[in-house]
Amino acid sequence: MTLGIVLASHVDHIAEGAYRLLKESAPNVSITYAGGTDDGEVGSSYALIEAAIEQNDCDKIYCFYDLGSAKMTLEMVSEMTDKDVTIIDAAFIEGAYTACALIQGGYKQAEIDAQLEPLKVK
């Protein structure tokens, strides 16, 4: 697989739960996640999101987030990594699930992008 998924949530249990859900349908997709702050509170962490991106096996990554500050943190991390990071403004679970299922199914990136378009939050 050439396209990986990163999940960024304000709550560690949400990030882990989403990860578990996605792995059921897409066991061969590289999925990493970050949830909460460095001290386990509700929020987002630059260090945890950076680790999730760097630990992902893929060089091209779609990132999904739950709230705005997670997106801001993803944007900051994406500027500092050598990986090709695309932040997807889609419904968190539905978008990530759709992307994972399509990556697992061997779809091309353009086809995945087309399927994600209706799920984007405008």
Side-chain angles (χ1 to χ4, degrees):
M1 299 285 157
T2 60
L3 187 59
I5 300 289
V6 168
L7 306 169
S9 173
H10 280 68
V11 177
D12 57 350
H13 293 304
I14 291 174
E16 180 185 2
Y19 167 82
R20 290 178 58 201
L21 175 67
L22 299 178
K23 275 308 218 184
E24 285 293 316
S25 297
N28 299 323
V29 176
S30 181
I31 307 167
T32 51
Y33 64 91
T37 63
D38 296 335
D39 57 357
E41 297 297 320
V42 174
S44 60
S45 160
Y46 184 95
L48 293 176
I49 290 174
E50 179 182 44
I53 288 174
E54 295 305 325
Q55 291 169 2
N56 196 288
D57 293 333
C58 297
D59 290 327
K60 278 188 156 181
I61 300 171
Y62 279 169
C63 296
F64 295 87
Y65 61 93
D66 60 357
L67 296 171
S69 64
K71 179 182 181 181
M72 285 189 333
T73 307
L74 281 166
E75 289 170 341
M76 288 188 290
V77 172
S78 72
E79 293 175 8
M80 302 304 289
T81 184
D82 292 332
K83 296 195 178 203
D84 181 1
V85 172
T86 302
I87 300 167
I88 307 291
D89 295 322
F92 183 56
I93 301 298
E94 293 87 345
Y97 186 89
T98 299
C100 279
L102 293 171
I103 294 167
Q104 179 70 36
Y107 284 79
K108 295 182 182 344
Q109 188 171 352
E111 296 168 314
I112 296 168
D113 290 344
Q115 292 292 321
L116 289 174
E117 193 59 38
L119 299 176
K120 289 189 176 175
V121 178
K122 310 237 183 222

